[in-house]
């Protein structure tokens, strides 16, 4: 029997209509649909796919072993995640070996800070196809009405998990910037934006393209923390042509 | 009469199946479809839309006034482009005033180095909606099988039009990098990659996701120039989890 193909599929920024035509086709066709989720939640990628998943499809739900109860720099975090990804990859391999195609759903674009990459790396002996998706940041800058990079602009994408000095150094030399992974890093990022002189043009976007999105100047976002998947956008040097 | 809405629509990286479900719906529904093209060519965004455009739709084709015959730093270039964008915006405004919705098609994502931003800026008095698209770079890294940014990686997107010293300085401190706008800048970019010690892991992608795509290590791409829309990808610090 021929083994199945693993389709690693970007689901886009959140609005189900912003998935690609190819993503919609493959999700409906695959007999196995896999996705990550936080324990007790629906799973964001799963909720975007919604009704597209066939009623007869097997769903493989992978619950992250930790959310915030183990620190990122605790060795047990790395060890636990390694075991977790290996278990997930084994579950997928079993279905591929049985000849079934598997759709692995990912928020945004799979190769852009996605957990799915750790399964992709483990399943290199199988046929793999990756379906790119609209990045969360593109959904956010479209909804915020912020033309983002022009001409010779350099775009820098920074994780908010960087330390304050690194953030400031990077922000000091960017034309356009996106700051991801905010969550508990929000206050540190806000200070770095002020110090870099960029707070004036920085915009906070939470759940962009979704029904409950929030968009505001970063100075108006005074709450101490925010969802992990919120973004801050610093548009480039908007030029008049 | 109520004026129409301008939908600025990202067409994705090239494969028509990589446009969003929303893009496909709006293109089919709009009575006016506008796009940029090089003189004598089909227009890349138009060719992606293909058969989706209604037979009864009006097509507004905007031919760029220059391709390479006027240098970018020649004042007549800036002046000519300003006049060109104003003429395009006026043509769209006429249709919006007549109550027609207009779909403006853009390669990749509209707010990511797109010409459409210059029309969007001129048409701020109308109802505007931007439909994000899959970026060319995401199409390319998916096809090249390159998981791109992990964990704390910083992504830098650089236009190849930067001077050699700026390119080298930026490449010297990036985790992951995408170099766009190659064309006649290819040789300069190749030298900068060697000097920054990144040539080993740099991959050249031309027309990614399309039938005639070419993907190879950058050192194998020895031609003196390449298409303007080719990319070089330097994936981030691929980590084992």
């Amino acid at each position: 029997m021929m083994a199945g193909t693993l389709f690693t599929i970007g689901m886009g920024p959140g609005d189900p209509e912003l998935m690609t035509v190819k993503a919609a086709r493959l999700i409906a066709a695959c007999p196995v649909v896999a996705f990550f989720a936080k324990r007790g939640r629906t799973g964001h990628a799963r909720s975007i796919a919604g009704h597209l998943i066939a009623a007869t499809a097997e769903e493989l739900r992978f619950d992250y072993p930790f959310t915030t109860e183990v620190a990122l720099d605790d060795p047990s975090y790395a060890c636990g995640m390694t075991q977790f990804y290996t278990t997930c990859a084994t579950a997928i391999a079993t279905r591929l070996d049985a000849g079934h195609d598997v759709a692995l759903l990912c928020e945004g674009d799979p190769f852009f800070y996605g957990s799915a990459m750790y399964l992709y790396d483990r399943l290199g002996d199988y046929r793999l196809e990756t379906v790119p998706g609209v990045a969360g940041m593109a959904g956010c800058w479209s909804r915020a009405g912020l033309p983002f990079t022009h001409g010779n602009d350099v775009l820098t994408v920074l994780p908010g998990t960087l330390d304050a000095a690194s953030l400031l150094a990077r922000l000091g030399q960017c034309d356009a910037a996106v700051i991801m992974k905010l969550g508990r890093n929000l206050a540190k990022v806000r200070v770095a934006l002020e110090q870099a002189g960029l707070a004036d043009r920085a915009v906070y976007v939470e759940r962009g393209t979704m029904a409950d999105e929030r968009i505001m100047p970063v100075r108006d976002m005074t709450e101490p923390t925010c969802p992990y998947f919120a973004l801050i956008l610093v548009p480039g040097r908007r030029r008049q042509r």
Side-chain angles (χ1 to χ4, degrees), chain A:
Chain A
M1 181 166 38
M2 201 161 83
T5 297
L6 173 62
F7 295 100
T8 303
I9 301 179
M11 301 300 294
D15 175 351
E17 255 208 311
L18 295 177
M19 82 174 81
T20 63
V21 172
K22 186 169 188 172
R25 172 174 65 81
L26 288 170
I27 291 166
C30 279
V32 183
V33 177
F35 54 92
F36 294 103
K38 286 187 189 169
R39 273 176 288 168
R41 306 277 188 88
T42 305
H44 184 41
R46 172 65 184 83
S47 68
I48 299 171
H51 63 283
L52 288 171
I53 299 175
T56 54
E58 180 190 15
E59 296 196 28
L60 291 180
R61 178 189 165 100
F62 300 137
D63 279 305
Y64 288 113
F66 314 120
T67 51
T68 57
E69 70 274 23
V70 179
L72 289 176
D73 54 359
D74 184 325
S76 72
Y77 179 86
C79 177
M81 291 306 286
T82 297
Q83 287 174 2
F84 169 62
Y85 288 128
T86 297
T87 302
C88 298
T90 302
I92 289 176
T94 303
R95 276 68 180 183
L96 296 173
D97 287 335
H100 301 309
D101 291 340
V102 177
L104 173 58
L105 313 183
C106 315
E107 288 113 349
D109 177 77
F111 283 177
F112 191 59
Y113 301 104
S115 299
M117 297 187 291
Y118 302 112
L119 307 192
Y120 181 95
D121 286 345
R122 283 166 166 80
L123 293 163
D125 292 339
Y126 294 91
R127 277 181 302 162
L128 303 174
E129 184 173 337
T130 304
V131 181
V134 175
M137 63 186 185
C140 291
W141 65 50
S142 290
R143 288 292 306 161
L146 294 174
F148 214 70
T149 51
H150 298 71
N152 272 2
D153 278 350
V154 174
L155 169 68
T156 305
V157 181
L158 299 168
T161 45
L162 293 178
D163 62 71
S166 301
L167 273 175
L168 182 56
R170 299 285 189 165
L171 289 171
Q173 52 182 299
C174 74
D175 298 311
V178 175
I179 309 169
M180 304 181 59
K181 305 192 179 191
L182 290 175
R184 291 180 292 184
N185 303 300
L186 178 63
K188 173 184 64 182
V189 169
R190 254 191 322 237
V191 170
L193 284 164
E194 291 288 353
Q195 290 176 336
L198 296 175
D200 276 345
R201 60 185 223 257
V203 174
Y204 171 85
V205 186
E206 181 181 308
R207 299 183 60 78
T209 81
M210 287 169 271
D212 49 353
E213 74 180 4
R214 297 169 72 201
I215 302 175
M216 66 190 87
V218 78
R219 286 194 175 127
D220 293 351
M221 173 56 190
T222 53
E223 298 160 33
T225 67
C226 68
Y228 191 70
F229 283 112
L231 294 179
I232 289 173
L233 301 172
V234 182
R237 298 165 292 146
R238 192 152 178 169
R239 277 181 258 195
Q240 212 51 53
R241 262 277 188 240

